[in-house]
């Protein structure tokens, strides 16, 4: 891939620029060329001593959403996790949602656990209630790793966020949130989220949505997200 040598020869590649570069990969699926680019960007990010602004962290993670789970993508995730752990700058709600979207292709691995630990601190540090779209988008991003230790540690915070949210939840948003629990293993932490989402479902703003393909898909996503739960009061 022609860009790889150019990436490697840059001596002053800033975390902000790397974040923008990773964001640009958000529509690219796994390929040998993409892996080379990811490995080069991960190397540059690891070499940089600068902090990565929160907005760029969200953008960078968002760019990983279709890259696949392999050594190169994990190198990039690990480098981003290190940057995230060394910064105390709050994440905006939009950046937080974007960050979790980028995790959807990863299964349990040390790099993922490090990133989830860093993001957990950002969620716990939020002083204002999270908006519905940010909560549901974040839960959707956990769809392949919601049974991992790091995700389980995060889920109670999201259960509280669902309860404290000041907005109504649409069926589309709830469908995304339920879907994110599909591999949660039916854990106690996941049941807390399930109970909070169920309370929101009862009073959701979806009564104003027209019945049709979107609404049907949302309901299908909700049901699909229940596959790891056995009989429990929350169901």
């Amino acid at each position: 891939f022609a860009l790889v040598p150019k990436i490697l020869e840059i001596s002053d590649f800033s975390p902000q620029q790397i974040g923008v570069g990773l964001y640009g990969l958000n529509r690219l699926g796994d390929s040998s060329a993409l892996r080379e680019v990811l490995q080069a960007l991960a190397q540059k990010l690891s070499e940089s001593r600068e902090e990565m602004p929160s907005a760029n962290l969200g953008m960078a993670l968002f760019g990983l959403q279709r890259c696949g789970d392999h050594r190169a993508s994990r190198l990039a995730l690990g480098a981003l996790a290190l940057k995230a752990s060394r910064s105390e700058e709050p994440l905006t709600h939009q950046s937080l949602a974007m960050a979790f979207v980028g995790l959807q292709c990863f299964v349990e691995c040390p790099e993922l656990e490090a990133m989830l630990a860093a993001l957990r601190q950002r969620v716990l540090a939020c002083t204002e209630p999270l908006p519905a779209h940010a909560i549901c988008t974040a839960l959707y991003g956990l769809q392949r790793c919601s049974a991992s230790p790091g995700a389980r540690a995060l889920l109670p915070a999201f259960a509280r966020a669902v309860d404290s949210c000041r907005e109504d939840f649409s069926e589309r948003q709830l469908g995304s949130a339920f879907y994110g629990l599909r591999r949660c293993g039916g854990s106690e932490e996941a049941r807390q989220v399930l109970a909070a989402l169920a309370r929101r479902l009862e009073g959701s703003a979806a009564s104003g949505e027209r019945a049709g393909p979107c609404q049907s898909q949302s309901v299908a996503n909700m049901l699909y997200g229940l596959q790891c739960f056995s009989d429990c009061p929350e169901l």
Side-chain angles (χ1 to χ4, degrees), residues 1-228:
F1 193 70
L3 278 175
V4 172
K6 294 184 178 297
I7 293 170
L8 294 175
E9 71 184 20
I10 297 174
S11 60
D12 57 348
F13 218 162
S14 71
Q16 296 95 318
Q17 293 167 333
I18 295 170
V20 171
L22 284 168
Y23 176 82
L25 306 178
N26 73 83
R27 290 193 168 190
L28 300 181
D30 185 21
S31 68
S32 59
L34 178 67
R35 293 187 184 198
E36 289 181 24
V37 171
L38 286 172
Q39 191 161 335
L41 290 173
Q43 178 180 325
K44 287 300 177 180
L45 193 58
S46 297
E47 292 172 355
S48 173
R49 296 182 180 180
E50 297 179 42
E51 288 191 3
M52 174 171 268
S54 291
N56 294 96
L57 176 65
M59 292 175 65
L61 286 167
F62 187 84
L64 300 181
Q65 62 182 288
R66 293 184 176 91
C67 68
D69 187 8
H70 43 73
R71 181 177 179 275
S73 61
R74 289 184 180 188
L75 284 173
L77 182 62
L80 289 169
L82 188 59
K83 290 295 185 184
S85 68
R86 292 177 174 175
S87 174
E88 297 182 359
E89 183 187 0
L91 279 169
T92 65
H93 296 159
Q94 182 64 27
S95 294
L96 189 69
M98 291 176 70
F100 279 98
V101 166
L103 301 182
Q104 63 185 280
C105 70
F106 294 99
V107 294
E108 189 174 339
C109 63
E111 296 83 1
L112 177 65
E113 292 300 307
M115 180 56 76
L116 289 172
L119 291 176
R120 179 175 179 270
Q121 296 306 312
R122 304 299 182 90
V123 173
L124 294 175
C126 291
T127 57
E128 294 292 324
L130 290 172
H133 80 86
I135 298 168
C136 296
T137 301
L139 286 169
Y140 179 82
L142 297 176
Q143 61 182 270
R144 295 190 68 195
C145 63
S146 51
S148 72
R152 289 181 63 175
L154 257 168
L155 290 176
F158 280 124
R160 293 190 294 271
V162 172
D163 283 331
S164 63
C165 182
R166 297 169 183 167
E167 301 175 351
D168 291 323
F169 286 64
S170 70
E171 273 193 5
R172 182 177 297 184
Q173 290 169 335
L174 288 169
S176 296
F178 274 93
Y179 190 88
L181 299 178
R182 66 192 181 100
R183 293 185 179 174
C184 66
S187 65
E188 170 60 30
E189 296 87 351
R191 292 199 297 272
Q192 292 177 33
V193 178
L194 182 63
L197 292 173
R199 289 190 288 272
R200 287 292 185 165
L201 181 59
E202 292 175 357
S204 74
S207 58
E209 295 184 43
R210 295 182 180 180
C214 289
Q215 189 180 35
S216 300
Q217 186 61 53
S218 297
V219 174
N221 287 345
M222 292 180 204
L223 293 170
Y224 192 79
L226 301 179
Q227 62 186 278
C228 282

